[in-house]
Amino acid sequence: DADVTQTPRNRITKTGKRIMLECSQTKGHDRMYWYRQDPGLGLRLIYYSFDVKDINKGEISDGYSVSRQAQAKFSLSLESAIPNQTALYFCATSELAGGSNEQFFGPGTRLTVL
Amino acid sequence: DAKTTQPTSMDCAEGRAANLPCNHSTISGNEYVYWYRQIHSQGPQYIIHGLKNNETNEMASLIITEDRKSSTLILPHATLRDTAVYYCIVRVAIGGSQGNLIFGKGTKLSVKP
């Protein structure tokens, strides 16, 4: 089974709708991240969380909100979706400290806002 | 902004070594060089990282110049499955937000038969 899972994998929605993307991990990591990727570009950080009580804005947080329901779960919400939020969204996790501090990514959610 | 500069694209023949360069002339003393790759539209995958010594693992080798202003990722025997976008990222290894990944556009490596 995958260590980092994202649901849904694909979603088409309409402008103005509220949508939630979910991320779950079984790696036992404290840190979780949400990124978006637009065609031909690298990933950009939306929000990140270093533990259940910690939420931080990333580079492009406007129009998004997050919830860290538990160590293993980190959800991304679009309160009122707009077409320029059409993108590929990735969740990632990493250990709090030590080791290589590498991030482990989920398979991605392809979101289309019409 | 990404703190690295990479070529937009490179080609490599299958079975040959792929050498992917990266410039990071403003790297700080406590920043590591990390490499990730992204195959098609999958989630990025960690490859390797290093501070100043050359590093090797089962996937690749990382050569960092003595002044640390540039590095090269080496895939010793490239296969078609190595076709991907390769990202070179500099970051502190641990800590707060300084440890977040900042992705540039990376290098699109095409391995050809």
Side-chain angles (χ1 to χ4, degrees):
Chain A
D1 289 338
D3 295 319
V4 184
T5 57
Q6 294 183 230
T7 55
R9 295 292 312 278
N10 289 282
R11 181 71 182 268
I12 300 173
T13 191
K14 295 182 178 180
T15 298
K17 294 291 186 181
R18 184 179 188 276
I19 184 168
M20 178 181 288
L21 309 182
E22 300 190 2
C23 177
S24 295
Q25 53 115 346
T26 58
K27 299 190 73 67
H29 289 167
D30 290 301
R31 298 186 171 190
M32 298 187 74
Y33 310 80
W34 275 105
Y35 293 88
R36 70 174 275 176
Q37 184 174 33
D38 296 284
L41 300 179
L43 283 68
R44 290 184 293 169
L45 185 63
I46 306 173
Y47 270 96
Y48 60 101
S49 168
F50 286 170
D51 63 43
V52 175
K53 299 179 181 179
D54 178 76
I55 300 290
N56 304 281
K57 293 182 177 181
E59 177 187 357
I60 52 164
S61 59
D62 287 349
Y64 301 95
S65 62
V66 291
S67 173
R68 185 79 184 268
Q69 302 95 320
Q71 186 202 39
K73 296 184 181 297
F74 193 36
S75 300
L76 176 72
S77 294
L78 287 69
E79 298 301 326
S80 179
I82 56 177
N84 76 1
Q85 290 177 313
T86 293
L88 190 54
Y89 290 83
F90 290 102
C91 173
T93 74
S94 68
E95 293 182 285
L96 179 60
S100 67
N101 203 26
E102 67 179 278
Q103 291 189 14
F104 295 84
F105 287 81
T109 294
R110 187 171 298 279
L111 176 66
T112 302
V113 183
L114 302 176
Chain B
D1 292 336
K3 301 170 71 172
T4 62
T5 303
Q6 299 177 251
T8 301
S9 64
M10 295 181 64
D11 291 340
C12 178
E14 187 178 20
R16 303 298 292 270
N19 297 279
L20 291 88
C22 179
N23 288 320
H24 31 79
S25 58
T26 61
I27 191 169
S28 301
N30 64 343
E31 288 182 317
Y32 288 67
V33 180
Y34 280 75
W35 284 84
Y36 282 74
R37 74 179 182 183
Q38 186 177 24
I39 297 174
H40 193 44
S41 295
Q42 298 176 21
Q45 175 191 24
Y46 165 84
I47 301 172
I48 198 168
H49 78 287
L51 182 62
K52 55 183 178 180
N53 297 322
N54 298 338
E55 302 288 345
T56 295
N57 63 19
E58 65 279 4
M59 292 182 67
S61 295
L62 174 60
I63 308 298
I64 302 174
T65 59
E66 189 170 348
D67 64 7
R68 303 208 325 122
K69 292 184 177 182
S70 65
S71 60
T72 301
L73 178 74
I74 301 172
L75 308 178
H77 305 287
T79 70
L80 299 179
R81 289 174 295 180
D82 292 322
T83 292
V85 177
Y86 287 77
Y87 298 99
C88 171
I89 301 168
V90 297
R91 61 179 288 200
V92 297
I94 61 174
S97 62
Q98 295 171 317
N100 289 341
L101 295 175
I102 299 176
F103 288 83
K105 295 184 179 180
T107 296
K108 169 65 175 175
L109 175 68
S110 298
V111 180
K112 300 182 182 300

